[in-house]
């Protein structure tokens, strides 16, 4: 048996070498399929890792409250009221263990300093926000409760905004035009860097009251899209989430039979939700690539079937000079498996090339995943077995007399 | 010459198809061929000579009757066993040469050795010797497309002989060749028969080709019409 397989290998390799172009075209589908699966999964995992490390850098005691059920791409927030400042006060008063709480209202508007202009997000919040999000100052100062109370025309900006608006000037004390209002830059934030979730330094923060009165010119009570909370050290976050839910359910007049129309998550859950959504993307892309792998397999079967017809006479010769049907079957099967495995290996090499090239471009780490490479390789070999079997059986079932007579 | 009976046919029938569409190609053939004979099987097309040849060459099995090759009941062998019998005892050459395209002469000759499981080095050596014996030592790298018809048939003879079979089956071996080349090929076959004592069974419809054989068997309508010794 071993000698027979060994023999089938040397015959199959001779056949492949005899027609390299055909062999290459046969495995092209496998190469493309394997390389795209491996690339997608590798880069997808890199992204997931980046998101996870990003979020865990926020600290373990951070909680976020949002209207609507669920975070991320599957959240349902339509028609659900935002929070009020009274909700925020109530949380601070009624939930034990809160270190700081910040209402967050985001909007998007222009910011202009002299000839420099940018469009971007503006965050309205309270001074606690800086502490909750671990911001430190590069220069100047944070705004204070007093600024918040007065609705002072002041703002604190991140490094990206500094770079956009101020070339070499010191921004502190300069007046910039944000939307309709003129506000003074009182502080700049230390750079956090760009990881996973986007540019953290693309930040322009004003007191919530300033955002409402000066920038938007409106004072709706239900306008807080998110509440950020940091817990005191050692507080159990599940217990804290429960307390926050109790308070908010009461304030939002939810009956016992109604589900929460808001959601509370801690860092771990946010990390899980966001990475699960990147994992969904990864799975989706890998599935699409998997389909191309399948198509590649069908390509192999197609060409092998054609080549059985084309090589009928060759098979007849082999049978006439004493090859058994089993040996012919094995020869064709080994040819198919060799082709698809070599295609798989080439696909993996190609994918590693792609990843090395693309990973820095989309700013994720290139994490070599042994598992997916092994799986992709085994899968390509299996494709050879599955799709090589039908042609091989057809070749083996040929009658030597008919096969020799074939023109 | 060894006069042991090599091939023994008794009441061989071969029927193709079933029912009304059936066709009886062989209608009861009885035949004995001795070891070392050179036999030409002749007959017009449709006479059943090719069917007989395929049965003798163990490529096909009879519908009824008994075929003993060296005492082995071929009619009771399955496909694989017949393959193995062909591999170890028989050699074939064909009208259309049937060499593997885009494959060098020496690799074509090696092919039967490959199925016998002979190692690479020994294979190459035996194949070269066989090519040398048909006078093609200098053409071993050439593919069939680069060889003339006569040269291709000599490669085919080398391929058939490289395993040193006891019996050689030749199906219209000169059908595609001109008369000069025909004579060369027939002389090679005669030499194999006389010098090495190889039994040769050859199908042909050409009278002058059949003259090289020691015995002529004429097949007509699925039966042996006459069977004569040449000399």
């Amino acid at each position: 048996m071993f000698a027979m397989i060994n023999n089938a290998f040397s015959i199959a390799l001779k056949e492949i070498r005899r027609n390299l172009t055909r062999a290459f075209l046969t495995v092209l589908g496998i190469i493309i399929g394997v390389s795209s699966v491996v690339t997608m999964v590798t880069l997808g995992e890199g992204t997931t890792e980046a998101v996870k490390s990003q979020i865990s850098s926020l600290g373990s005691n951070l909680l976020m409250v949002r209207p609507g059920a669920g975070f991320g791409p599957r959240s349902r927030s339509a028609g659900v009221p935002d929070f009020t400042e009274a909700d925020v006060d109530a949380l601070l008063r009624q939930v034990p263990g809160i270190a700081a709480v910040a209402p967050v209202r985001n909007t998007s508007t222009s910011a202009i300093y002299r000839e420099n202009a940018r469009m971007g997000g503006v965050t309205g919040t309270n001074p606690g926000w800086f502490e909750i999000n671990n911001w430190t100052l590069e220069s100047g100062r944070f705004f204070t409760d007093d600024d918040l109370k007065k609705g002072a025309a002041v703002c604190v900006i991140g490094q990206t905004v500094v770079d956009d608006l101020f070339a070499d000037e010191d921004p502190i004390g300069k007046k910039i035009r944000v939307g309709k209002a003129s506000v003074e830059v009182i502080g700049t934030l230390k750079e956090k860097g760009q990881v996973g979730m986007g540019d953290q330094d693309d930040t322009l923060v004003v007191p919530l009251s300033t955002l409402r009165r000066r920038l938007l010119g409106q004072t709706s009570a239900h306008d807080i899209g998110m509440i950020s909370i940091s817990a005191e050290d050692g507080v159990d976050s599940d217990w804290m989430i429960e307390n926050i839910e109790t308070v908010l359910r009461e304030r939002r007049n939810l009956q016992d039979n109604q589900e929460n129309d808001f959601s509370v998550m801690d860092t771990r859950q946010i990390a899980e939700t966001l990475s699960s959504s990147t994992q969904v993307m990864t799975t989706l892309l890998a599935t699409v690539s998997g389909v191309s792998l399948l198509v590649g397999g069908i390509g192999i079967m197609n060409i092998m079937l054609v080549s059985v017809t084309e090589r009928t006479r060759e098979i007849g010769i082999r049978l006439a000079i004493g090859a058994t049907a089993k040996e012919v079957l094995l020869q064709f099967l080994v040819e198919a498996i060799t082709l698809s495995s070599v295609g798989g290996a080439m696909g993996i090499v190609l994918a590693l090339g792609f990843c090395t090239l693309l990973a820095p471009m989309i700013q994720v780490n290139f994490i070599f995943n042994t598992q997916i490479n092994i799986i992709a390789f085994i899968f390509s070999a299996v494709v050879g077995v599955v799709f090589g079997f039908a042609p091989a059986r057809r070749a083996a079932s040929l009658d030597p007399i008919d096969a020799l007579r074939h023109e | 010459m060894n006069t042991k009976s090599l091939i023994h046919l008794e009441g061989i029938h071969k029927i193709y198809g079933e029912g009304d569409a059936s066709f009886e190609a062989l209608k009861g053939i009885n035949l004995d061929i001795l070891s070392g004979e050179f036999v030409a099987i002749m007959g017009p097309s449709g006479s059943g000579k090719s069917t007989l040849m395929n049965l003798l060459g163990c490529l096909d099995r009879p519908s009824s009757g008994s075929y003993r090759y060296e005492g082995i009941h071929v009619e009771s062998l399955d496909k694989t066993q017949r393959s193995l019998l062909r591999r170890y005892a028989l050699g074939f050459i064909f009208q259309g040469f049937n060499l593997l395209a885009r494959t060098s002469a020496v690799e074509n000759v090696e092919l039967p050795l490959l199925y016998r499981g002979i190692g690479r080095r020994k294979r190459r050596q035996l194949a070269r010797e066989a090519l040398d014996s048909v006078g093609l030592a200098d053409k071993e790298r050439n593919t069939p497309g680069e060889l003339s018809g006569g040269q291709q048939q000599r490669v085919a003879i080398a391929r058939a002989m490289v395993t040193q079979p006891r019996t050689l089956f030749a199906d219209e071996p000169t059908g595609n060749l001109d008369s000069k080349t025909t004579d060369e090929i027939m002389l090679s076959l005669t030499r194999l028969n006389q010098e090495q004592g190889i039994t040769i069974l050859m199908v042909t419809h050409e009278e002058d080709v059949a003259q090289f054989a020691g015995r002529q068997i004429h097949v007509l309508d699925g039966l042996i019409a006459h069977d004569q010794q040449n000399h």
Side-chain angles (χ1 to χ4, degrees), chain A residues 170-343:
Chain A
D170 178 12
I172 303 297
K174 301 291 185 314
K175 298 244 171 171
I176 63 173
R177 188 152 200 91
V178 181
K180 289 178 282 187
S182 172
V183 295
E184 183 189 340
V185 179
I186 55 166
T188 61
L189 299 170
K190 201 164 247 152
E191 191 165 349
K192 267 194 180 178
Q194 184 160 12
V195 210
M197 288 197 303
D199 186 0
Q200 296 292 291
D201 301 310
D202 189 357
T203 300
L204 197 163
V205 199
V206 298
L208 181 62
S209 51
T210 309
L211 182 83
R212 282 172 172 163
R213 282 178 227 157
R214 292 177 191 268
L215 269 60
L216 300 170
Q218 60 179 53
T219 48
S220 154
H222 291 273
D223 66 349
I224 293 163
M226 184 173 85
I227 302 171
S228 291
I229 297 166
S230 67
E232 285 169 356
D233 287 339
V235 177
D236 177 50
S237 77
D238 288 337
W239 178 74
M240 187 127 182
I241 288 170
E242 219 169 283
N243 284 329
I244 292 168
E245 282 177 347
T246 312
V247 171
L248 286 177
R249 280 185 71 86
E250 198 177 302
R251 292 196 56 81
R252 289 163 84 86
N253 291 322
L254 296 176
Q255 304 300 310
D256 285 346
N257 58 357
Q258 282 177 292
E259 283 185 42
N260 288 351
D261 63 353
F262 60 91
S263 45
V264 189
M265 296 188 125
D266 60 15
T267 326
R268 185 175 47 82
Q269 285 168 308
I270 296 164
E272 275 169 13
T273 316
L274 283 178
S275 60
S276 90
S277 71
T278 62
Q279 272 158 5
V280 167
M281 278 307 283
T282 307
T283 313
L284 190 75
L285 290 169
T287 309
V288 172
S289 323
V291 170
S292 69
L293 197 52
L294 193 71
V295 172
I298 295 171
I300 284 208
M301 177 160 74
N302 187 21
I303 297 201
M304 292 297 288
L305 278 173
V306 170
S307 94
V308 168
T309 313
E310 189 187 275
R311 290 158 65 187
T312 299
R313 189 181 268 266
E314 172 207 324
I315 296 161
I317 297 167
R318 291 181 186 279
L319 290 169
I321 65 172
T324 61
K326 212 194 249 173
E327 284 167 325
V328 171
L329 179 99
L330 211 56
Q331 177 198 334
F332 273 75
L333 210 51
V334 168
E335 268 187 52
I337 296 168
T338 308
L339 283 176
S340 62
S341 311
V342 169

Side-chain angles (χ1 to χ4, degrees), chain A residues 49-60:
Chain A
E49 279 309 306
V51 169
K52 273 188 189 158
S53 70
Q54 165 76 30
I55 293 179
S56 54
S57 78
L58 294 176
S60 59

Side-chain angles (χ1 to χ4, degrees), chain A residues 7 18 313 319 322 327, chain B residues 86-87 98 103 107 114-115:
Chain A
N7 233 349
R18 220 169 66 177
R313 189 181 268 266
L319 290 169
E327 284 167 325
Chain B
R86 291 198 297 274
R87 177 187 305 182
N98 281 336
T103 304
E107 278 182 304
L114 197 61
Y115 286 108

Side-chain angles (χ1 to χ4, degrees), chain B residues 183-200:
Chain B
D183 285 349
E184 280 173 26
I185 295 295
M186 288 319 297
L187 283 171
S188 314
L189 291 182
T190 310
R191 234 191 352 261
L192 285 173
N193 175 245
Q194 287 174 353
E195 289 171 11
Q196 297 182 35
I198 288 163
T199 311
I200 299 180

Side-chain angles (χ1 to χ4, degrees), chain B residues 195-219:
Chain B
E195 289 171 11
Q196 297 182 35
I198 288 163
T199 311
I200 299 180
L201 282 92
M202 171 179 73
V203 166
T204 183
H205 61 267
E206 290 169 84
E207 196 63 47
D208 49 344
V209 169
Q211 289 303 323
F212 286 90
R215 181 180 173 190
Q216 292 184 16
I217 295 171
H218 288 260
V219 181

Side-chain angles (χ1 to χ4, degrees), chain B residues 119-144:
Chain B
R120 169 196 287 269
R121 221 182 256 168
K122 182 83 179 158
R123 230 162 46 210
R124 191 48 59 105
Q125 183 204 333
L126 290 172
R128 284 199 171 127
E129 283 170 14
L131 276 177
D132 192 32
S133 73
V134 294
L136 287 176
D138 56 332
K139 301 284 187 193
E140 65 165 62
R141 294 257 145 248
N142 295 53
T143 60

